[in-house]
Amino acid sequence: MHRSADNLITWAWTHLAHGHPDTSPAWGRQGRTRPGWQAYTRFEKTLTRQQQRTLTEQFATAAAAR
């Protein structure tokens, strides 16, 4: 089962860490599945530029706090 958190992890992995989507830690042991990939692409397409900017800022703030 692919969760919303998995979509967020994959988004951060590809957009912030510049990792290849196939190597996202969210896919787990089984690797990328068709349903998981479909769920992720739907999630990614729904994000507005403002939402992407907010996510980027939130990740940066969390990283700076560590």
Side-chain angles (χ1 to χ4, degrees):
M1 184 167 109
H2 198 75
R3 303 167 303 147
S4 296
D6 295 334
N7 291 331
L8 183 57
I9 291 167
T10 301
W11 182 87
W13 186 258
T14 57
H15 291 272
L16 302 178
H18 306 289
H20 191 278
D22 285 346
T23 63
S24 170
W27 301 124
R29 287 179 172 217
Q30 80 278 5
R32 187 177 81 174
T33 63
R34 183 182 196 108
W37 181 249
Q38 290 171 336
Y40 170 69
T41 56
R42 278 192 307 272
F43 168 79
E44 185 180 39
K45 288 176 185 177
T46 64
L47 291 176
T48 65
R49 288 187 191 265
Q50 180 58 47
Q51 289 169 323
Q52 291 180 35
R53 213 172 2 258
T54 300
L55 285 171
T56 300
E57 291 168 1
Q58 291 298 313
F59 274 99
T61 300
R66 290 188 175 255

